[in-house]
Amino acid sequence: MKTIDDLQVAGKRVFVRADLNVPLDGTTITDDGRIRAVAPTIAKLVERGAKVIVASHLGRPKGAPDPAFSLAPAAERLGEILGQAVAFATDTVGESARSVTAGLADGQVAVLENLRFNPGETSKDDAERGAFADQLAALADLYVGDGFGAVHRKHASVYDLPARLPHAAGDLIATEVQVLKKLTEDVKRPYVVALGGAKVSDKLAVIDQLLEKADRILVGGGMAYTFLKAKGHEVGISLLQEDQVPACQEYLARAEKRGVEFVLPVDVLVSAEFPDLKTKAPANPGTVAADAIPADQEGLDIGPKTRELYAAKVADAGTVFWNGPMGVFEHPDYAGGTKAVAQALLDSPAFTVVGGGDSAAAVRLLGFDENAFGHISTGGGASLEYLEGKTLPGLAALED
């Protein structure tokens, strides 16, 4: 896989497929981590005299323009980070895109409007997707893939466009792949995986693979309650995927057979109602044993004994991969479990990887120094699919 160091970019129009899919509150960016992550690649191209055309998706618009999903705020923030003006095209391949990109001088940057405003970006039809890729290719001379959060999607700008232009991986993707290989091919042991998040169904495929590779798997977040149910415990009104209980029972049995420590919460914070994430009003949670959740209560975070247990399981690790919060970290009364796991990673001598998505957002929201971790991924879903052993279309497209 070539990198941008292998490309002659001076005076060339370089199409950078970035991941600017940042969370918005109206037009206010609430977490700019993904923009900051791709900025060094763009800055390097600027310094080498490229005319940089940045493109991305944001959210899930229905293949048509929708102001709620405009990339205009992301373009403005990118300009602030780069310290230079960034032009903005109000469409993807239309008159504005053609005019803005044609007007770029060497070292200048433009951002196209949300790629998913065009139905060709996400189409299942190869011809429709290819036609959109042809229009994008007409805007540029070279292609740089640097949106790791999108490489698991067979989309026009990710999969089809690299076939139409000389291409290379950006520094962000190159780093992500290098890190993920340390989690799959060259693992320093003990290898500890901490998994959280809402749905156990989102993690079953990666658990299936990790049971062959990890030494310990620690489970928290909403997905933990399906595993607790699989062990025969009542979980009250906690988040539960009843249809996944048999699969969880199978994985628990496999872990025991293979000698993999599969660690579930021993206590949890509970409440009769979900906390108000807007006002952050005090929730006054109670703490109960994980096998004694009251029928009218739901678990919303791992408890203090579990936090200590998980920290101990991470303390002697050689490698730690963490994906998914341990509770409703957006509310201060239920952020303690996620904070404890993050701190455990910092205290460990291990090579630590935070697997993007909500985990990365939690690190920033809770005030941790991002640079203190071994690596913070920008691709939650893409990272998991890589660990599942799947071929990622966007990476395959960048291979020569």
Side-chain angles (χ1 to χ4, degrees), residues 15 17 55-57 63-64 91-94 97-98 112-140 143 154-162 164-165:
F15 188 104
R17 200 338 179 154
S56 176
H57 70 288
D91 55 28
T92 55
V93 292
R98 292 191 296 269
L112 303 182
E113 185 54 284
N114 192 334
L115 290 165
R116 290 185 182 174
F117 286 180
N118 190 304
E121 170 67 1
T122 59
S123 176
K124 303 293 186 187
D125 182 82
D126 290 348
E128 184 180 12
R129 220 176 45 247
F132 183 50
D134 287 338
Q135 291 178 292
L136 292 172
L139 301 175
Y143 176 92
K154 192 176 181 181
H155 291 170
S157 66
V158 176
Y159 178 74
D160 302 273
L161 184 54
R164 288 158 167 79
L165 293 170

Side-chain angles (χ1 to χ4, degrees), residues 31 322 324-325 329-330 338-339 342 356-368:
D31 182 358
W322 169 36
F329 72 93
E330 300 92 340
T338 301
K339 185 178 290 187
D358 284 343
S359 311
V363 163
R364 291 186 279 269
L365 180 67
L366 298 175
F368 288 97

Side-chain angles (χ1 to χ4, degrees), residues 23 25 29-34 36 276-278 280 322 325-336 338-340 342 354 356-370 373 376:
D25 182 2
I29 297 171
T30 58
D31 182 358
D32 67 357
R34 285 178 169 170
R36 288 186 288 106
D276 189 325
L277 301 183
K278 286 285 188 183
K280 305 292 197 308
W322 169 36
M326 296 291 108
V328 187
F329 72 93
E330 300 92 340
H331 192 286
D333 288 348
Y334 300 103
T338 301
K339 185 178 290 187
V354 180
D358 284 343
S359 311
V363 163
R364 291 186 279 269
L365 180 67
L366 298 175
F368 288 97
D369 178 5
E370 296 176 68
F373 297 88
I376 294 184

